[in-house]
Amino acid sequence: YLKSPRDRLRTHSMKHYHETDRSTITEIIFHTNSDKTTDDYINYGYDGYEIVYREQIGSVLHFYTCADKYEIRNAINMFSDCSSLKQIDLSSWDTSICSDMSALFNGCHSLETLDLLSFNTSNVKDMSNMFNDCYSLKYVNIDNFDTLSFPDLG
């Protein structure tokens, strides 16, 4: 069952992604408004309220949804231990209802830049260790973060 592209993906976690060997992933791409069907992908799952299709091609991991945004409710450890991750575009994420971003990028050793300008953190209760062990990270755009009550971003 797929909703129209005007609907938003609501995901508690991307469980199939968590079953992936994260250390080999160099890039993660989130595709929106996709017309993919269950016949197109073997790896798909029900995540929260929508169906997300996952496909790994070499070291690049692709997520597909028919929605126009990925509505993220919980981002705990989402990219944790993606030690080879160099590129990720999260502009298709709607984080306005997200409550936890702890350890989101924990252990992303190869990540050098990160643009989180589109993130709405007004409802986030925990950002601890968000950038823990991201020792190659040189630039992070968090200009829109509401961080007044979060002294520990790791």
Side-chain angles (χ1 to χ4, degrees):
Y1 164 70
L2 297 175
K3 293 184 178 182
S4 74
R6 294 174 196 252
D7 292 331
R8 291 177 180 234
L9 172 73
R10 293 185 178 125
T11 176
H12 295 286
S13 67
M14 296 185 179
K15 61 186 173 189
H16 290 294
Y17 162 68
H18 291 291
E19 297 167 3
T20 303
D21 179 6
R22 299 180 191 194
S23 66
T24 63
I25 298 170
T26 60
E27 183 177 5
I28 299 174
I29 301 172
F30 291 90
H31 303 273
T32 58
N33 299 313
S34 175
D35 60 356
K36 304 293 184 190
T37 68
T38 54
D39 295 334
D40 293 326
Y41 294 97
I42 296 172
N43 298 311
Y44 64 92
Y46 181 74
D47 293 308
Y49 301 98
E50 292 284 351
I51 295 181
V52 175
Y53 304 95
R54 175 186 65 97
E55 175 182 51
Q56 186 168 353
I57 303 172
S59 63
V60 179
L61 186 61
H62 298 266
F63 288 101
Y64 299 88
T65 182
C66 64
D68 63 349
K69 287 279 186 186
Y70 288 84
E71 192 170 274
I72 307 299
R73 292 176 178 234
N74 180 339
I76 301 171
N77 292 309
M78 187 75 74
F79 307 113
S80 185
D81 298 322
C82 288
S83 57
S84 299
L85 184 64
K86 294 181 179 185
Q87 192 168 357
I88 187 165
D89 178 1
L90 299 173
S91 61
S92 63
W93 276 27
D94 176 356
T95 59
S96 62
I97 63 169
C98 187
S99 62
D100 196 332
M101 292 185 178
S102 60
L104 178 58
F105 302 102
N106 179 47
C108 291
H109 307 303
S110 301
L111 199 56
E112 294 182 8
T113 63
L114 199 50
D115 186 355
L116 304 178
L117 186 64
S118 64
F119 274 34
N120 176 343
T121 60
S122 60
N123 289 312
V124 177
K125 306 291 184 239
D126 189 354
M127 290 185 190
S128 62
N129 299 307
M130 190 170 180
F131 304 106
N132 190 49
D133 286 333
C134 293
Y135 45 77
S136 295
L137 201 53
K138 296 176 181 136
Y139 173 79
V140 182
N141 186 347
I142 57 171
D143 288 348
N144 287 339
F145 269 35
D146 177 2
T147 59
L148 293 177
S149 59
F150 299 105
D152 178 22
L153 293 178

